[in-house]
Amino acid sequence: MLDHSSQQLSALINAASDTLSLWFVDEATDINCLSSIQPRDNLSIISNRYDLHQQALACGLNSRFGDFTLAIDQQYEQIFFRIAKEKPIVHYLINRSADLLVRQGLLTLVGEKGDGTKTYIDKAKKYFNSSAQAKKNNIIYTGHIRFFSKGKPLDDKHYTSLQTITDDMISKPGVFGWNKIDQGSKYLVDNLAEILASNSIASDASVLDLGCGYGYLSIEAAKLGSFTFTATDNNAVAVSCCQANLEQRGIAGQALASHCADNIEQRFDLVLCNPPFHTGFDTDKDLTPLFLQQAKQHLNSNGVAVFVVNSFIPLEAKAESIFKTIEVIAKNTQFKVVALR
């Protein structure tokens, strides 16, 4: 289902073809809207999502992939952003826009009522010392906030800094569940030693952490053997945090940006995965089948893939056409751990 906020923002970007513009693209941006943008030399994109960045390049757009903290050496007449799901990201980008806009440049924010868009527009207006008002079209709010001078910065939870959280793990806003341990991942870890033993996984096995986040599964699995890890994620912030965690602990391996390991050719003895159920705002788009297919494609012939999902997800049915052997290793009221061969 097309995200109408992204669709409206795309129309505004095309209408501003004569302005030097910057577009911040995160997971809330509908990937299908990128093809509707007319490529031009005066429009730059920064995306923290690898799949969106790759799609932007395929559409002929000038895109850079990385955290939104990437160095930018010029100022813009207009900045565009579809409101994100995470408040620290929105606050940070409003704060940063004040540094990147020329005086009286415009920050254009678009999002639905449920995204808190009107509140964000009001906050940006106050920070920019502007008199802009939110315009409503059905459930979509649009704000064009003109920059005059800086007020008090919005609280972005120290977005620019890697932060130490539980058990000295490194994370930061922008990673899913950035300041806690995901309980599904923990449930997988609690059952991992048994799985390794029953599947005769060697102590020097190669491991693919598929959708690694800040690297929790790799960090915990490294306690069970001298494994070599390849950790992948679609999110630039997750990749940098995972790499920092691997290096801090001296764990052999690397974290790579990819859309579900689509740019990795190696096969592995063990695949670990806590797949997302959806992406962006389209809650009907279950990504589990894609993760299952990629796990199978990246397994050695005698390897095993270990998934953890919410207990109501019919993973076994989804995996039937992909894997020969499907075994539920553990299950409680919230999660189940499934070994696939």
Side-chain angles (χ1 to χ4, degrees):
M1 182 174 65
L2 187 66
D3 175 58
H4 295 296
S5 294
S6 297
Q7 189 176 35
Q8 179 160 317
L9 186 64
S10 298
L12 292 171
I13 292 170
N14 283 331
S17 60
D18 60 343
T19 63
L20 183 61
S21 302
L22 175 64
W23 183 13
F24 288 116
V25 174
D26 93 324
E27 65 174 330
T29 303
D30 192 325
I31 194 170
N32 297 306
C33 287
L34 291 168
S35 61
S36 68
I37 301 298
Q38 297 298 318
R40 61 182 197 260
D41 292 338
N42 62 354
L43 172 64
S44 297
I45 291 173
I46 293 179
S47 179
N48 63 356
R49 302 288 294 192
Y50 188 76
D51 60 336
L52 293 171
H53 164 66
Q54 291 292 316
Q55 179 64 20
L57 292 178
C59 293
L61 300 171
N62 176 24
S63 178
R64 295 170 64 194
F65 170 72
D67 193 348
F68 291 133
T69 59
L70 278 172
I72 300 174
D73 58 3
Q74 67 181 105
Q75 290 185 302
Y76 297 88
E77 297 170 280
Q78 195 158 0
I79 294 175
F80 297 91
F81 184 55
R82 195 268 188 242
I83 295 297
K85 292 189 289 186
E86 284 202 53
K87 182 186 291 186
I89 290 179
V90 182
H91 281 184
Y92 171 72
L93 290 178
I94 291 173
N95 290 339
R96 190 167 196 205
S97 293
D99 295 320
L100 297 175
L101 284 168
V102 299
R103 182 171 170 78
Q104 297 192 38
L106 287 176
L107 170 63
T108 296
L109 299 175
V110 178
E112 296 185 5
K113 179 179 179 180
D115 303 327
T117 307
K118 184 176 184 299
T119 298
Y120 287 129
I121 292 170
D122 289 341
K123 288 180 177 181
K125 176 182 71 174
K126 184 176 180 180
Y127 181 45
F128 284 16
N129 288 303
S130 177
S131 58
Q133 297 296 323
K135 296 181 181 179
K136 186 179 180 184
N137 179 13
N138 294 321
I139 62 172
I140 299 173
Y141 283 97
T142 301
H144 300 286
I145 307 100
R146 195 170 296 279
F147 172 68
F148 289 96
S149 61
K150 295 181 187 179
K152 181 180 178 181
L154 304 180
D155 179 14
D156 61 13
K157 302 298 182 186
H158 306 289
Y159 180 84
T160 60
S161 303
L162 296 180
Q163 301 173 35
T164 301
I165 59 169
T166 305
D167 294 337
D168 291 329
M169 295 183 191
I170 295 171
S171 186
K172 63 171 279 188
V175 182
F176 176 76
W178 73 275
N179 58 354
K180 62 184 180 181
I181 293 175
D182 181 83
Q183 291 305 298
S185 293
K186 184 178 184 303
Y187 193 55
L188 187 157
V189 167
D190 288 344
N191 291 278
L192 187 56
E194 175 189 341
I195 295 170
L196 298 179
S198 61
N199 286 276
S200 302
I201 300 299
S203 61
D204 61 349
S206 58
V207 181
L208 174 64
D209 186 346
L210 192 57
C212 61
Y214 61 76
Y216 174 77
L217 290 178
S218 292
I219 293 167
E220 293 300 313
K223 298 175 182 178
L224 302 175
S226 300
F227 306 129
T228 301
F229 293 87
T230 298
T232 74
D233 205 284
N234 199 24
N235 184 311
V237 181
V239 172
S240 62
C241 289
C242 183
Q243 185 65 43
N245 278 311
L246 295 178
E247 291 176 0
Q248 176 177 273
R249 289 164 173 76
I251 296 173
Q254 60 183 333
L256 302 172
S258 74
H259 180 46
C260 204
D262 62 353
N263 57 357
I264 296 172
E265 297 182 0
Q266 181 183 348
R267 290 179 177 268
F268 300 86
D269 304 313
L270 175 67
V271 175
L272 303 176
C273 187
N274 181 355
F277 302 132
H278 60 272
T279 185
F281 285 84
D282 185 358
T283 55
D284 295 326
K285 187 176 181 181
D286 183 1
L287 292 177
T288 305
L290 174 61
F291 276 77
L292 286 168
Q293 292 163 5
Q294 288 296 91
K296 176 62 174 179
Q297 181 176 326
H298 287 86
L299 267 185
N300 286 325
S301 58
N302 59 346
V304 60
V306 183
F307 277 63
V308 62
V309 294
N310 280 40
S311 56
F312 64 84
I313 298 293
L315 185 76
E316 301 92 316
K318 294 174 185 290
E320 280 181 353
S321 62
I322 303 171
F323 290 90
K324 293 181 179 180
T325 303
I326 302 168
E327 181 181 4
V328 177
I329 302 298
K331 185 175 182 178
N332 60 22
T333 57
Q334 289 183 288
F335 307 106
K336 58 186 172 184
V337 176
V338 184
L340 307 160
R341 303 194 70 148

